[in-house]
Structure formats: C-alpha cells, structure tokens
Amino acid sequence: MSIAHLLENFDLDPLNSGMMHLLHEDALEEQRLAAFEQGYSAGWEDAVTAQSEDHAHLEATLTRNLEDLSFTYHEALTQMTQSLEPMFQSLMTTVLPQTIEQGFGHHIVEQLTAMAEEQVAQPALLIVPAGAGAQLKPLLDQQSALPVQLVEEASLPPGQACLRVGTAERDVDCNAFLASITEAMDAFLYEAKEISLND
C-alpha cells in the first residue's frame, strides 16, 4: 500500500493550481506594519512585565534585608543588655553604695556651704545618724569659716542627714537617691528583656 496520498506533491505548478495568491504592494506593506506593530506591542508588554518583576524582586529583597537588619540590631541590643546586666547589678549593689557612703561627708559639706552662702552669719546645725559624726567632724573642721553644730540622732537611718542654716533646711537622703537609680536601672533591664521577648 502506497503512502503517496499523505505527502505533499511538489510537481504541481503553483501558478496554475489556484492555491497561490499574490498580494498587492500596499497590502504587503500593511501586513508588514501590522506585524511590526504587533511585535513592538509584545516587546513593550514584555519590557513592562520584566520591569514590574524586577521592581517586585528588588522591593522583596529590600524588605527582607531590612527585616534581617532589624532582627540583627534587636538581637545585638538584647545580647548587649543581657551581658551588661551582671555589671549593672554589681554597680547597683556594691559600687554605688560604697561611693555614696564615701562621698556622704563631702556632699554634706557642699550642701552646708551652699546654704551658708544663702544665709550669711546664721548658725548651722547638722543632724546625722548615730556614729556618722566621727567621719564628718574632720571634714567640717576643714571648713573653719563655717561654724557647724554637729548632732547625732539615733532615729535617723544611715545615709541621711538634716541640714539647718538659719531658717533654711535641707534633707540629704543618699538611700533614696540610690533607690531611684536602682529602680531606673531595673526598669531599663525589664524593658530590654520585654523587647527581646516580643521580637
């Protein structure tokens, strides 16, 4: 059985077969312009699509990088806060109390001097906790221009003093100062931990 009927026959004269159709020059030019216009439109659409995809990719990359950077910043802040917490605790429980205790006398003298300048030629009275007079007496003696009557009061807690010069009066409370610093530091550490838990 032959398969010739399935194959195209090239022996026929295309001009006489009626299958070939010649186009006029204007119609051919119109087809060329239409094909060019169609190709140009397809190219433009491809360019717009590619630009949109590039923009979306760039935006996604930037967002991801910003999220990574934010995470890295918060992670570093958390680690720094956690590593500083023991130092802060040591500072609040050891260093500051000792520093305040050592500077207590100097602070009293500064306060008395400032009050004496405001209340010239007025008698000065310093009320301190029991046992604090021995520490303060040498410092007060150095300020010979300011006569101060030193009184120890057993009911006054350590780190506190009451200064009176004339009608002016000031209370010195190193413990309250230390407590306010400790409270502020605890609040900072608590907030830093909360931020790290929420991130």
Side-chain angles (χ1 to χ4, degrees), residues 42-77:
W44 185 262
E45 288 174 9
D46 287 347
V48 168
T49 302
Q51 183 181 13
S52 297
E53 289 173 358
D54 286 348
H55 181 71
H57 177 70
L58 180 64
E59 193 174 283
T61 302
L62 181 61
T63 301
R64 187 173 55 254
N65 287 342
L66 287 175
E67 287 172 355
D68 291 345
L69 182 63
S70 176
F71 176 75
T72 304
Y73 167 76
H74 288 298
E75 187 177 65
L77 182 63

Side-chain angles (χ1 to χ4, degrees), residues 95-108:
V95 177
L96 276 178
Q98 289 176 357
T99 304
I100 288 175
E101 184 179 328
Q102 291 171 358
F104 181 67
H106 294 287
H107 186 64
I108 297 291

Side-chain angles (χ1 to χ4, degrees), residues 134-183:
Q135 178 190 1
L136 293 172
K137 186 79 170 126
L139 291 170
L140 293 173
D141 290 342
Q142 291 174 2
Q143 302 291 326
S144 57
L146 180 65
V148 178
Q149 179 185 358
L150 184 61
V151 176
E152 291 188 4
E153 177 65 49
S155 64
L156 203 60
Q160 291 186 4
C162 181
L163 313 172
R164 290 186 190 136
V165 178
T167 59
E169 184 176 319
R170 286 189 190 168
D171 291 325
V172 175
D173 191 350
C174 294
N175 295 329
F177 174 69
L178 181 60
S180 68
I181 293 175
T182 303
E183 184 180 336

Side-chain angles (χ1 to χ4, degrees), residues 17 44 109 128 156 175 186:
S17 67
W44 185 262
V109 170
V128 296
L156 203 60
N175 295 329
D186 288 344

Side-chain angles (χ1 to χ4, degrees), residues 64-130:
R64 187 173 55 254
N65 287 342
L66 287 175
E67 287 172 355
D68 291 345
L69 182 63
S70 176
F71 176 75
T72 304
Y73 167 76
H74 288 298
E75 187 177 65
L77 182 63
T78 300
Q79 288 180 358
M80 182 190 74
T81 303
Q82 289 174 349
S83 66
L84 289 176
E85 185 173 0
M87 184 199 63
F88 288 152
Q89 294 299 336
S90 175
L91 180 70
M92 301 313 295
T93 58
T94 307
V95 177
L96 276 178
Q98 289 176 357
T99 304
I100 288 175
E101 184 179 328
Q102 291 171 358
F104 181 67
H106 294 287
H107 186 64
I108 297 291
V109 170
E110 287 175 9
Q111 293 295 321
L112 279 171
T113 304
M115 291 173 71
E117 288 173 359
E118 296 168 6
Q119 303 274 333
V120 180
Q122 296 290 325
L125 174 65
L126 173 59
I127 304 169
V128 296

